[in-house]
Amino acid sequence: MADNLPSEFDVIVIGTGLPESITAAACSRSGQRVLHVDSRSYYGGNWASFSFSGLLSWLKEYQENSDIVNENPAWQEHILENEEGIALSRKDKTIQHVEVFCYASQDLHEDVEETGALQKNHASVTSVNPTEGEHSAYLPSEDESSCTVSCQMPTEQTPNSDLESSLEIYDVEATGEEGKRCDDKTCVKSASEEETSENVLTTEDTTLQPKKNRITYSQIIKEGRRFNIDLVSKLLYSRGLLIDLLIKSNVSRYAEFKNITRILAFREGRVEQVPCSRADVFNSKQLTMVEKRMLMKFLTFCMEYEEHPDEYKAYEEITFSEYLKTQKLTPNLQYFVLHSIAMTSETASNTIDGLKATKNFLHCLGRYGNTPFLFPLYGQGELPQCFCRSLNEVERLLIWMCAVFGGIYCLRHSVQCLVVDKESRKCKAVIDQFGQRIISKHFLVEDSYFSENTCSHVQYRQISRSVLITDRSVLKADSDQQISILTVPAMETGTFAVRVIELCSSTMTCMKGTYLVHLTCTSSKTAREDLEPVVQKLFTPYTETEIENEEDEKPRLLWALYFNMRDSSHVSRNSYNDLPSNIYVCSGPDCGLGNDNAVKQAETLFQQICPNEDFCPPPPNPEDIVIDGDSLQSEASESSFIPEANSETPQESRSLGNPEQSSQ
């Protein structure tokens, strides 16, 4: 297909991250002819999710990427006299300081391979030194933008990267019973490992589980397809812009969600649960009756603070932390509100920002569960693919209607340069890896594709990320199927608070008996220097001797990855050198918890391309399309349309929609 692309489109989108995918889907639904290309072999860019072997392949790809030498560009021979080219980079420099550590017992054999893999996965694990035993690691090279991984990984990617493997559609559930969420195509659980409908283990089972299961590196490799590891860690606010967009556009049919079950706090060296809903507050044993009344009174004020300006106007210039001290809240309550509800720090937010964050938190409570947050099953990388599937659906519908517009996706298809007309200073075309010239009116380019010449004046921030595999939760509970978010305050001046998101196996992101833990903060140093102190406070390295110690309160750390990711969300378009007005820049992921920045960016870009058009309207229902002739009726009946869930569906398995309406 790549050799025979049409020679003209209305919009060309380079990169398949979340903002690019939303914009491409919106343009396609507005009748634009869209070409969406990515030089990578997977969807999502830095928003992607990987299986365990897929993640190791991604690490190896970055190591090989650092060795790329920019040769004499072949595209120059395709540039005419009245044109000039803007070269795009062959190197992706958005990931730096990669370090990988394996703490699980490394009993690998040559015949160990990932279950369901298309080719054999021979892994060779090298210790840091012979005396360290199970404390082995993959060590990074001196080049800060590369990593060293001593494994031979298959080139295939996680099932998430293949649209065809995940086209089975379910009504979305906010919490749910895991047994209802899988089928033969997409579920990574085997029939023998299905959980009960309550997903609850008895206290006896929970106690015995660590003793029964000695998790080794071989098991992690073998069960690698059960992991879906996000490069960027985010949650969805239940009343956030992305949820509203998913509902409005009907893209929610392509994804499932689980409700975050716990908001946690780290105080005085201990992890404890934070009461946030009214029921949680009054059932809490952590708060006195006086504190419960104080907290409810303050939270009620936050919900309607804009109607009482006299109560906060005098404090607008001080930090939210200082403002809380004036509200007759105990230190215990101040800590909970600051770090676990407003999710800010002592110095990061002023009073207005803190009140807005608290109101947003409270506003999202109760829509789909007892916390404000949702998490997409199979990982954050599902979200860009949802919009990709949406564009493909539009393409099919428009083909049925004998139209000539729609969307075309090409992975592993690189663009070498953008062609600019010297006289008009407008971009007119791209030249791809095959030397084909493709004409378009508008061009969206993800930031990482620009060369150093284009970005020479851009100042980037960095995000520190860590991904951990552990053997149990940071806070024991009756059920082992808990999804938790924890904010650890900055430990010293000049550092930032660390956000911790812990995912259980029912999120389809890790194998049974393990947890997948994501740590994120704004970078002040390398990712390992920023995040390792928090890791050491919450976890202990896995060793054979410690596994017998059932009194050890900390979860055991089996595997750890650290890396820094570029944050281009704050960069002004004017910072890039000499970009024509019809080239639009999409940023990569930001450090925030939600996805509002990506949605706002996509809507802004869409309005520049298609002014006065509706942003991501619902697609036409195949049953409503009237076409002359009967030949297409059978095709319409086979479309992947899923009706709304029955209104009698209990809240535990609510489909993603507007709870205030009977249908969306």
Side-chain angles (χ1 to χ4, degrees), residues 620-638:
N621 186 340
E623 297 177 357
D624 296 335
I625 299 174
V626 179
I627 305 176
D628 292 335
D630 298 328
S631 61
L632 298 177
Q633 291 181 359
S634 60
E635 291 182 271
S637 65
E638 295 174 0

mmCIF file with all atom_site columns, all heavy atoms in Angstrom, residues 620-638:
data_model
loop_
_atom_site.group_PDB
_atom_site.id
_atom_site.type_symbol
_atom_site.label_atom_id
_atom_site.label_alt_id
_atom_site.label_comp_id
_atom_site.label_asym_id
_atom_site.label_entity_id
_atom_site.label_seq_id
_atom_site.pdbx_PDB_ins_code
_atom_site.Cartn_x
_atom_site.Cartn_y
_atom_site.Cartn_z
_atom_site.occupancy
_atom_site.B_iso_or_equiv
_atom_site.pdbx_formal_charge
_atom_site.auth_seq_id
_atom_site.auth_comp_id
_atom_site.auth_asym_id
_atom_site.auth_atom_id
_atom_site.pdbx_PDB_model_num
ATOM 1   N N   . PRO A 1 620 ? -22.099 8.675  11.369 1.00 0.00 ? 620 PRO A N   1
ATOM 2   C CA  . PRO A 1 620 ? -23.450 8.265  10.976 1.00 0.00 ? 620 PRO A CA  1
ATOM 3   C C   . PRO A 1 620 ? -23.694 6.808  11.332 1.00 0.00 ? 620 PRO A C   1
ATOM 4   O O   . PRO A 1 620 ? -22.795 5.969  11.239 1.00 0.00 ? 620 PRO A O   1
ATOM 5   C CB  . PRO A 1 620 ? -23.454 8.480  9.455  1.00 0.00 ? 620 PRO A CB  1
ATOM 6   C CG  . PRO A 1 620 ? -22.016 8.459  9.056  1.00 0.00 ? 620 PRO A CG  1
ATOM 7   C CD  . PRO A 1 620 ? -21.259 9.024  10.214 1.00 0.00 ? 620 PRO A CD  1
ATOM 8   N N   . ASN A 1 621 ? -24.896 6.527  11.769 1.00 0.00 ? 621 ASN A N   1
ATOM 9   C CA  . ASN A 1 621 ? -25.281 5.161  12.077 1.00 0.00 ? 621 ASN A CA  1
ATOM 10  C C   . ASN A 1 621 ? -25.487 4.409  10.763 1.00 0.00 ? 621 ASN A C   1
ATOM 11  O O   . ASN A 1 621 ? -26.246 4.862  9.903  1.00 0.00 ? 621 ASN A O   1
ATOM 12  C CB  . ASN A 1 621 ? -26.578 5.174  12.894 1.00 0.00 ? 621 ASN A CB  1
ATOM 13  C CG  . ASN A 1 621 ? -26.963 3.783  13.383 1.00 0.00 ? 621 ASN A CG  1
ATOM 14  O OD1 . ASN A 1 621 ? -26.514 2.774  12.850 1.00 0.00 ? 621 ASN A OD1 1
ATOM 15  N ND2 . ASN A 1 621 ? -27.805 3.745  14.398 1.00 0.00 ? 621 ASN A ND2 1
ATOM 16  N N   . PRO A 1 622 ? -24.805 3.277  10.575 1.00 0.00 ? 622 PRO A N   1
ATOM 17  C CA  . PRO A 1 622 ? -24.983 2.533  9.315  1.00 0.00 ? 622 PRO A CA  1
ATOM 18  C C   . PRO A 1 622 ? -26.442 2.217  9.015  1.00 0.00 ? 622 PRO A C   1
ATOM 19  O O   . PRO A 1 622 ? -26.843 2.165  7.856  1.00 0.00 ? 622 PRO A O   1
ATOM 20  C CB  . PRO A 1 622 ? -24.177 1.250  9.543  1.00 0.00 ? 622 PRO A CB  1
ATOM 21  C CG  . PRO A 1 622 ? -23.177 1.610  10.580 1.00 0.00 ? 622 PRO A CG  1
ATOM 22  C CD  . PRO A 1 622 ? -23.835 2.627  11.464 1.00 0.00 ? 622 PRO A CD  1
ATOM 23  N N   . GLU A 1 623 ? -27.253 2.028  10.062 1.00 0.00 ? 623 GLU A N   1
ATOM 24  C CA  . GLU A 1 623 ? -28.654 1.688  9.844  1.00 0.00 ? 623 GLU A CA  1
ATOM 25  C C   . GLU A 1 623 ? -29.451 2.874  9.311  1.00 0.00 ? 623 GLU A C   1
ATOM 26  O O   . GLU A 1 623 ? -30.549 2.707  8.785  1.00 0.00 ? 623 GLU A O   1
ATOM 27  C CB  . GLU A 1 623 ? -29.267 1.173  11.145 1.00 0.00 ? 623 GLU A CB  1
ATOM 28  C CG  . GLU A 1 623 ? -28.612 -0.114 11.631 1.00 0.00 ? 623 GLU A CG  1
ATOM 29  C CD  . GLU A 1 623 ? -29.194 -0.567 12.968 1.00 0.00 ? 623 GLU A CD  1
ATOM 30  O OE1 . GLU A 1 623 ? -30.043 0.157  13.509 1.00 0.00 ? 623 GLU A OE1 1
ATOM 31  O OE2 . GLU A 1 623 ? -28.790 -1.635 13.454 1.00 0.00 ? 623 GLU A OE2 1
ATOM 32  N N   . ASP A 1 624 ? -28.896 4.100  9.497  1.00 0.00 ? 624 ASP A N   1
ATOM 33  C CA  . ASP A 1 624 ? -29.604 5.296  9.039  1.00 0.00 ? 624 ASP A CA  1
ATOM 34  C C   . ASP A 1 624 ? -29.185 5.738  7.646  1.00 0.00 ? 624 ASP A C   1
ATOM 35  O O   . ASP A 1 624 ? -29.748 6.691  7.103  1.00 0.00 ? 624 ASP A O   1
ATOM 36  C CB  . ASP A 1 624 ? -29.360 6.456  10.019 1.00 0.00 ? 624 ASP A CB  1
ATOM 37  C CG  . ASP A 1 624 ? -29.940 6.162  11.394 1.00 0.00 ? 624 ASP A CG  1
ATOM 38  O OD1 . ASP A 1 624 ? -30.887 5.355  11.465 1.00 0.00 ? 624 ASP A OD1 1
ATOM 39  O OD2 . ASP A 1 624 ? -29.432 6.731  12.382 1.00 0.00 ? 624 ASP A OD2 1
ATOM 40  N N   . ILE A 1 625 ? -28.149 5.098  7.078  1.00 0.00 ? 625 ILE A N   1
ATOM 41  C CA  . ILE A 1 625 ? -27.664 5.502  5.764  1.00 0.00 ? 625 ILE A CA  1
ATOM 42  C C   . ILE A 1 625 ? -28.595 4.948  4.694  1.00 0.00 ? 625 ILE A C   1
ATOM 43  O O   . ILE A 1 625 ? -28.867 3.750  4.647  1.00 0.00 ? 625 ILE A O   1
ATOM 44  C CB  . ILE A 1 625 ? -26.229 5.002  5.531  1.00 0.00 ? 625 ILE A CB  1
ATOM 45  C CG1 . ILE A 1 625 ? -25.291 5.612  6.580  1.00 0.00 ? 625 ILE A CG1 1
ATOM 46  C CG2 . ILE A 1 625 ? -25.756 5.337  4.125  1.00 0.00 ? 625 ILE A CG2 1
ATOM 47  C CD1 . ILE A 1 625 ? -23.893 5.072  6.510  1.00 0.00 ? 625 ILE A CD1 1
ATOM 48  N N   . VAL A 1 626 ? -29.091 5.821  3.864  1.00 0.00 ? 626 VAL A N   1
ATOM 49  C CA  . VAL A 1 626 ? -29.981 5.430  2.769  1.00 0.00 ? 626 VAL A CA  1
ATOM 50  C C   . VAL A 1 626 ? -29.192 5.463  1.469  1.00 0.00 ? 626 VAL A C   1
ATOM 51  O O   . VAL A 1 626 ? -28.719 6.511  1.040  1.00 0.00 ? 626 VAL A O   1
ATOM 52  C CB  . VAL A 1 626 ? -31.198 6.373  2.675  1.00 0.00 ? 626 VAL A CB  1
ATOM 53  C CG1 . VAL A 1 626 ? -32.089 5.958  1.510  1.00 0.00 ? 626 VAL A CG1 1
ATOM 54  C CG2 . VAL A 1 626 ? -31.971 6.372  3.977  1.00 0.00 ? 626 VAL A CG2 1
ATOM 55  N N   . ILE A 1 627 ? -29.014 4.305  0.860  1.00 0.00 ? 627 ILE A N   1
ATOM 56  C CA  . ILE A 1 627 ? -28.251 4.190  -0.380 1.00 0.00 ? 627 ILE A CA  1
ATOM 57  C C   . ILE A 1 627 ? -29.111 3.476  -1.407 1.00 0.00 ? 627 ILE A C   1
ATOM 58  O O   . ILE A 1 627 ? -29.762 2.471  -1.102 1.00 0.00 ? 627 ILE A O   1
ATOM 59  C CB  . ILE A 1 627 ? -26.944 3.402  -0.153 1.00 0.00 ? 627 ILE A CB  1
ATOM 60  C CG1 . ILE A 1 627 ? -26.135 4.041  0.985  1.00 0.00 ? 627 ILE A CG1 1
ATOM 61  C CG2 . ILE A 1 627 ? -26.115 3.330  -1.422 1.00 0.00 ? 627 ILE A CG2 1
ATOM 62  C CD1 . ILE A 1 627 ? -24.889 3.271  1.331  1.00 0.00 ? 627 ILE A CD1 1
ATOM 63  N N   . ASP A 1 628 ? -29.123 3.985  -2.624 1.00 0.00 ? 628 ASP A N   1
ATOM 64  C CA  . ASP A 1 628 ? -29.880 3.330  -3.688 1.00 0.00 ? 628 ASP A CA  1
ATOM 65  C C   . ASP A 1 628 ? -29.302 1.951  -3.957 1.00 0.00 ? 628 ASP A C   1
ATOM 66  O O   . ASP A 1 628 ? -28.097 1.772  -4.059 1.00 0.00 ? 628 ASP A O   1
ATOM 67  C CB  . ASP A 1 628 ? -29.834 4.154  -4.973 1.00 0.00 ? 628 ASP A CB  1
ATOM 68  C CG  . ASP A 1 628 ? -30.602 5.457  -4.832 1.00 0.00 ? 628 ASP A CG  1
ATOM 69  O OD1 . ASP A 1 628 ? -31.513 5.501  -3.975 1.00 0.00 ? 628 ASP A OD1 1
ATOM 70  O OD2 . ASP A 1 628 ? -30.275 6.418  -5.557 1.00 0.00 ? 628 ASP A OD2 1
ATOM 71  N N   . GLY A 1 629 ? -30.176 0.983  -4.071 1.00 0.00 ? 629 GLY A N   1
ATOM 72  C CA  . GLY A 1 629 ? -29.727 -0.381 -4.349 1.00 0.00 ? 629 GLY A CA  1
ATOM 73  C C   . GLY A 1 629 ? -29.629 -1.182 -3.073 1.00 0.00 ? 629 GLY A C   1
ATOM 74  O O   . GLY A 1 629 ? -29.485 -0.651 -1.977 1.00 0.00 ? 629 GLY A O   1
ATOM 75  N N   . ASP A 1 630 ? -29.697 -2.480 -3.222 1.00 0.00 ? 630 ASP A N   1
ATOM 76  C CA  . ASP A 1 630 ? -29.687 -3.354 -2.054 1.00 0.00 ? 630 ASP A CA  1
ATOM 77  C C   . ASP A 1 630 ? -28.336 -3.969 -1.794 1.00 0.00 ? 630 ASP A C   1
ATOM 78  O O   . ASP A 1 630 ? -28.166 -4.702 -0.831 1.00 0.00 ? 630 ASP A O   1
ATOM 79  C CB  . ASP A 1 630 ? -30.718 -4.479 -2.251 1.00 0.00 ? 630 ASP A CB  1
ATOM 80  C CG  . ASP A 1 630 ? -32.123 -3.916 -2.377 1.00 0.00 ? 630 ASP A CG  1
ATOM 81  O OD1 . ASP A 1 630 ? -32.407 -2.872 -1.753 1.00 0.00 ? 630 ASP A OD1 1
ATOM 82  O OD2 . ASP A 1 630 ? -32.919 -4.529 -3.111 1.00 0.00 ? 630 ASP A OD2 1
ATOM 83  N N   . SER A 1 631 ? -27.347 -3.700 -2.649 1.00 0.00 ? 631 SER A N   1
ATOM 84  C CA  . SER A 1 631 ? -26.080 -4.418 -2.558 1.00 0.00 ? 631 SER A CA  1
ATOM 85  C C   . SER A 1 631 ? -25.313 -4.087 -1.302 1.00 0.00 ? 631 SER A C   1
ATOM 86  O O   . SER A 1 631 ? -24.505 -4.870 -0.843 1.00 0.00 ? 631 SER A O   1
ATOM 87  C CB  . SER A 1 631 ? -25.213 -4.110 -3.784 1.00 0.00 ? 631 SER A CB  1
ATOM 88  O OG  . SER A 1 631 ? -24.942 -2.710 -3.833 1.00 0.00 ? 631 SER A OG  1
ATOM 89  N N   . LEU A 1 632 ? -25.564 -2.880 -0.730 1.00 0.00 ? 632 LEU A N   1
ATOM 90  C CA  . LEU A 1 632 ? -24.776 -2.476 0.424  1.00 0.00 ? 632 LEU A CA  1
ATOM 91  C C   . LEU A 1 632 ? -25.493 -2.716 1.740  1.00 0.00 ? 632 LEU A C   1
ATOM 92  O O   . LEU A 1 632 ? -24.934 -2.494 2.796  1.00 0.00 ? 632 LEU A O   1
ATOM 93  C CB  . LEU A 1 632 ? -24.415 -0.981 0.307  1.00 0.00 ? 632 LEU A CB  1
ATOM 94  C CG  . LEU A 1 632 ? -23.551 -0.611 -0.891 1.00 0.00 ? 632 LEU A CG  1
ATOM 95  C CD1 . LEU A 1 632 ? -23.325 0.892  -0.919 1.00 0.00 ? 632 LEU A CD1 1
ATOM 96  C CD2 . LEU A 1 632 ? -22.224 -1.333 -0.832 1.00 0.00 ? 632 LEU A CD2 1
ATOM 97  N N   . GLN A 1 633 ? -26.757 -3.162 1.690  1.00 0.00 ? 633 GLN A N   1
ATOM 98  C CA  . GLN A 1 633 ? -27.501 -3.314 2.925  1.00 0.00 ? 633 GLN A CA  1
ATOM 99  C C   . GLN A 1 633 ? -26.906 -4.382 3.821  1.00 0.00 ? 633 GLN A C   1
ATOM 100 O O   . GLN A 1 633 ? -26.881 -4.255 5.026  1.00 0.00 ? 633 GLN A O   1
ATOM 101 C CB  . GLN A 1 633 ? -28.958 -3.644 2.610  1.00 0.00 ? 633 GLN A CB  1
ATOM 102 C CG  . GLN A 1 633 ? -29.703 -2.452 1.977  1.00 0.00 ? 633 GLN A CG  1
ATOM 103 C CD  . GLN A 1 633 ? -31.159 -2.772 1.696  1.00 0.00 ? 633 GLN A CD  1
ATOM 104 O OE1 . GLN A 1 633 ? -31.611 -3.886 1.965  1.00 0.00 ? 633 GLN A OE1 1
ATOM 105 N NE2 . GLN A 1 633 ? -31.872 -1.810 1.141  1.00 0.00 ? 633 GLN A NE2 1
ATOM 106 N N   . SER A 1 634 ? -26.440 -5.465 3.199  1.00 0.00 ? 634 SER A N   1
ATOM 107 C CA  . SER A 1 634 ? -25.856 -6.529 4.007  1.00 0.00 ? 634 SER A CA  1
ATOM 108 C C   . SER A 1 634 ? -24.595 -6.068 4.698  1.00 0.00 ? 634 SER A C   1
ATOM 109 O O   . SER A 1 634 ? -24.298 -6.470 5.816  1.00 0.00 ? 634 SER A O   1
ATOM 110 C CB  . SER A 1 634 ? -25.559 -7.756 3.139  1.00 0.00 ? 634 SER A CB  1
ATOM 111 O OG  . SER A 1 634 ? -24.640 -7.399 2.122  1.00 0.00 ? 634 SER A OG  1
ATOM 112 N N   . GLU A 1 635 ? -23.804 -5.196 4.011  1.00 0.00 ? 635 GLU A N   1
ATOM 113 C CA  . GLU A 1 635 ? -22.593 -4.681 4.626  1.00 0.00 ? 635 GLU A CA  1
ATOM 114 C C   . GLU A 1 635 ? -22.923 -3.828 5.824  1.00 0.00 ? 635 GLU A C   1
ATOM 115 O O   . GLU A 1 635 ? -22.271 -3.890 6.857  1.00 0.00 ? 635 GLU A O   1
ATOM 116 C CB  . GLU A 1 635 ? -21.787 -3.869 3.610  1.00 0.00 ? 635 GLU A CB  1
ATOM 117 C CG  . GLU A 1 635 ? -21.187 -4.692 2.510  1.00 0.00 ? 635 GLU A CG  1
ATOM 118 C CD  . GLU A 1 635 ? -20.362 -3.813 1.587  1.00 0.00 ? 635 GLU A CD  1
ATOM 119 O OE1 . GLU A 1 635 ? -20.929 -3.280 0.628  1.00 0.00 ? 635 GLU A OE1 1
ATOM 120 O OE2 . GLU A 1 635 ? -19.156 -3.662 1.854  1.00 0.00 ? 635 GLU A OE2 1
ATOM 121 N N   . ALA A 1 636 ? -23.955 -2.988 5.697  1.00 0.00 ? 636 ALA A N   1
ATOM 122 C CA  . ALA A 1 636 ? -24.326 -2.118 6.804  1.00 0.00 ? 636 ALA A CA  1
ATOM 123 C C   . ALA A 1 636 ? -24.748 -2.923 8.018  1.00 0.00 ? 636 ALA A C   1
ATOM 124 O O   . ALA A 1 636 ? -24.457 -2.564 9.150  1.00 0.00 ? 636 ALA A O   1
ATOM 125 C CB  . ALA A 1 636 ? -25.447 -1.176 6.377  1.00 0.00 ? 636 ALA A CB  1
ATOM 126 N N   . SER A 1 637 ? -25.428 -4.054 7.777  1.00 0.00 ? 637 SER A N   1
ATOM 127 C CA  . SER A 1 637 ? -25.887 -4.855 8.900  1.00 0.00 ? 637 SER A CA  1
ATOM 128 C C   . SER A 1 637 ? -24.748 -5.527 9.627  1.00 0.00 ? 637 SER A C   1
ATOM 129 O O   . SER A 1 637 ? -24.894 -5.968 10.756 1.00 0.00 ? 637 SER A O   1
ATOM 130 C CB  . SER A 1 637 ? -26.876 -5.919 8.399  1.00 0.00 ? 637 SER A CB  1
ATOM 131 O OG  . SER A 1 637 ? -26.209 -6.836 7.545  1.00 0.00 ? 637 SER A OG  1
ATOM 132 N N   . GLU A 1 638 ? -23.567 -5.616 8.976  1.00 0.00 ? 638 GLU A N   1
ATOM 133 C CA  . GLU A 1 638 ? -22.431 -6.265 9.603  1.00 0.00 ? 638 GLU A CA  1
ATOM 134 C C   . GLU A 1 638 ? -21.496 -5.284 10.282 1.00 0.00 ? 638 GLU A C   1
ATOM 135 O O   . GLU A 1 638 ? -20.420 -5.632 10.718 1.00 0.00 ? 638 GLU A O   1
ATOM 136 C CB  . GLU A 1 638 ? -21.641 -7.042 8.542  1.00 0.00 ? 638 GLU A CB  1
ATOM 137 C CG  . GLU A 1 638 ? -22.443 -8.189 7.947  1.00 0.00 ? 638 GLU A CG  1
ATOM 138 C CD  . GLU A 1 638 ? -21.700 -8.840 6.798  1.00 0.00 ? 638 GLU A CD  1
ATOM 139 O OE1 . GLU A 1 638 ? -20.584 -8.379 6.487  1.00 0.00 ? 638 GLU A OE1 1
ATOM 140 O OE2 . GLU A 1 638 ? -22.224 -9.796 6.223  1.00 0.00 ? 638 GLU A OE2 1
#
